[in-house]
């Protein structure tokens, strides 16, 4: 790896740490807390506390993002299959029983899990993957400045060319601004076979091998990510706000449209289908809307059309961005 890339990665990591440190310091100062050095260990916020603070700030500062996150979470939860979840729970119980040397209980749990999976197979003969778990997260690490985004993208490209993949991953991670829905899916083609094999091994007294087979089955849930670009969500909200702000004056509405255009460009810069022709159509429609506002024309139909176009594009990107990752999900809540 060349020295410039190494230095860049270190600087990026340090920048993230500094930002986190500053956020904690500012919060402490605003609350009037001045812990002593000796009490530092007791007053350091936990990961859970920081996560709660981040989510609270998101709800307060960007309510439209929280609304979109909740909608994504609700939709994801609706896809989860109770029978599949029950089959996984029975598999865990079988593992616990094996660990306790209770072969009879383990076989009973495997039998119940097999029954659940057979029901799934009968209900979903053409569906290879069944959702059993979902986690929704807001990730907004990317810079707002076009030049900064392009610089990181170029560095990431150079790192890939040099096969410095760890550096490239870190750099690309810093170009994310999205709501990510991650689902864990049970693979119907292999799960029943694993249960049958585990039962056979238990009958032969091979408890360790049976446990290994069940663990492998649990650890090979197929993880699929679906992402919604945050800049487009924010652009849609800016356009909706411009519609109401126009009553207060032309300038306020035009500023919001300019902000919407910048957010659409940011989505494009960050590579959310950056070469899609829909971006050109969006820019053109925003320009038309600006002309109508300046000409004191009725903008109701064009704003409604633009909002719908953005919503359709967001749904399209959320669908096409779905991608299975390496089959590994070892917990019931995906991280």
């Amino acid at each position: 790896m060349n020295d410039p890339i190494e230095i860049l990665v270190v600087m990026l990591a340090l920048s993230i740490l500094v930002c986190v440190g500053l956020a904690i310091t500012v919060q402490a100062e605003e609350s009037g807390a001045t812990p002593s050095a000796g009490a530092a260990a007791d007053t350091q916020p936990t990961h859970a506390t920081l996560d709660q603070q981040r989510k609270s700030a998101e709800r307060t500062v960007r309510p439209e993002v929280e609304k979109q996150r909740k909608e994504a979470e609700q939709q994801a939860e609706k896809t989860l299959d109770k029978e599949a979840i029950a089959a996984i729970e029975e598999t865990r119980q079988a593992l616990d029983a094996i660990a306790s040397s209770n072969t009879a209980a383990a076989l009973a749990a495997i039998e119940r899990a097999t029954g659940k999976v057979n029901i799934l197979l009968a209900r979903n003969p053409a569906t290879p993957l069944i959702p059993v778990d979902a986690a929704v997260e807001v990730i907004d690490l990317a810079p707002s400045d076009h030049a900064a985004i392009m610089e990181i993208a170029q560095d990431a490209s150079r790192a890939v060319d040099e096969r410095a993949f760890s550096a490239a991953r870190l750099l690309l991670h810093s170009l994310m601004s999205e709501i990510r829905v991650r689902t864990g899916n049970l693979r119907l083609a292999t799960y029943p076979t694993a249960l049958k094999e585990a039962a056979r091994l238990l009958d032969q007294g091979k408890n360790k091998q049976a446990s290994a087979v069940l663990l492998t089955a649990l650890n090979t849930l197929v993880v699929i990510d679906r992402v919604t670009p945050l800049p487009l969500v924010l652009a849609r909200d800016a356009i909706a706000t411009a519609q109401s702000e126009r009553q207060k004056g032309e300038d306020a509405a035009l500023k919001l449209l300019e902000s919407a255009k910048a957010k659409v460009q940011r989505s494009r810069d960050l590579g959310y289908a950056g070469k899609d022709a829909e971006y050109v159509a969006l820019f053109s429609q925003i320009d038309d809307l600006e002309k109508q506002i300046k000409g004191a024309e009725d903008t109701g139909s064009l704003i409604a059309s633009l909002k719908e176009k953005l919503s359709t594009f967001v749904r399209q990107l959320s669908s096409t961005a779905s991608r299975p990752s390496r089959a590994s999900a070892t917990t019931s809540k995906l991280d």
Side-chain angles (χ1 to χ4, degrees):
M1 185 186 304
N2 287 345
D3 291 340
I5 294 179
E6 292 178 348
I7 293 171
L8 181 63
V9 172
V10 172
M11 290 179 65
L12 184 60
L14 288 174
S15 297
I16 295 172
L17 289 173
V18 169
C19 289
V20 172
L22 286 174
I24 296 170
T25 303
V26 169
Q27 185 177 12
E29 290 176 350
E30 289 178 350
S31 64
T34 55
S36 64
D42 295 331
T43 57
Q44 286 296 319
T46 63
H47 174 75
T49 301
L50 289 173
D51 189 53
Q52 290 168 1
Q53 292 168 356
R54 178 183 60 79
K55 290 178 181 177
S56 177
E58 193 71 66
R59 287 191 293 268
T60 303
V61 178
R62 299 194 295 185
E64 67 282 1
V65 172
E66 175 61 15
K67 178 183 177 183
Q68 186 76 25
R69 187 199 66 77
K70 280 186 176 179
E71 289 177 1
E73 189 173 58
Q74 291 168 359
Q75 290 173 4
E77 288 177 352
K78 288 179 182 178
T79 68
L80 303 184
D81 191 287
K82 293 181 179 179
E83 293 291 345
I85 294 171
I88 288 176
E89 179 56 33
E90 292 292 357
T91 305
R92 290 198 178 98
Q93 289 187 20
L95 280 167
D96 291 341
I98 294 173
S100 301
S101 300
N102 191 338
T103 301
L107 286 169
I110 290 174
E111 184 178 353
R112 292 192 298 270
T114 301
K116 301 290 184 184
V117 173
N118 286 339
I119 292 174
L120 289 171
L121 287 167
R123 289 178 179 171
N124 309 278
T127 305
L129 302 175
I130 304 295
V132 294
D133 195 17
V136 182
E137 186 177 10
V138 176
I139 306 171
D140 195 7
L141 302 175
S144 299
D145 180 65
H146 169 80
I149 292 173
M150 292 300 100
E151 183 178 357
I152 294 173
Q154 290 168 6
D155 291 331
S157 179
R158 188 163 62 250
V160 170
D161 289 341
E162 296 174 1
R163 300 185 65 81
F165 297 139
S166 59
R169 282 192 292 270
L170 178 59
L171 290 164
L172 290 174
H173 187 71
S174 70
L175 292 180
M176 297 169 65
S177 181
E178 61 195 44
I179 297 173
R180 177 194 292 167
V181 179
R182 174 165 289 184
T183 57
N185 299 266
L186 184 146
R187 193 192 293 271
L188 280 180
T190 59
Y191 209 85
T193 303
L195 293 174
K196 183 178 179 180
E197 176 64 9
R200 184 185 70 80
L201 290 169
L202 283 174
D203 282 336
Q204 296 177 358
K206 299 178 180 179
N207 289 16
K208 286 186 178 180
Q209 292 91 327
S211 182
V213 168
L214 293 178
L215 278 173
T216 299
L218 285 178
N219 293 342
T220 53
L221 298 181
V222 178
V223 179
I224 296 178
D225 288 344
R226 180 169 57 84
V227 301
T228 299
L230 272 182
L232 293 183
V233 173
L234 296 170
R236 185 178 57 192
D237 182 72
I239 290 168
T241 307
Q243 186 174 19
S244 58
E245 287 294 316
R246 189 188 178 187
Q247 299 174 357
K248 301 178 183 179
E250 176 183 303
D251 290 344
L254 289 174
K255 284 181 180 178
L256 283 163
L257 290 181
E258 192 63 31
S259 173
K261 195 183 297 185
K263 288 173 171 58
V264 172
Q265 182 61 50
R266 183 169 181 249
S267 177
R268 191 181 195 182
D269 290 343
L270 292 174
Y272 293 105
K275 292 186 177 181
D276 197 303
E278 191 66 21
Y279 282 108
V280 177
L282 286 170
F283 288 132
S284 176
Q285 207 161 343
I286 294 174
D287 287 340
D288 291 342
L289 184 55
E290 288 176 334
K291 291 175 184 176
Q292 285 192 355
I293 289 176
K294 291 176 181 177
E297 301 177 33
D298 179 33
T299 59
S301 61
L302 185 54
I303 284 181
S305 173
L306 184 53
K307 286 163 58 180
E308 179 57 32
K309 183 181 284 291
L310 268 168
S311 295
T312 301
F313 193 33
V314 166
R315 287 194 295 270
Q316 175 190 326
L317 292 183
S318 297
S319 175
T320 56
S322 297
R323 56 194 184 277
S325 67
R326 184 173 61 86
S328 61
T330 59
T331 59
S332 59
K333 278 296 176 186
L334 304 176
D335 296 322

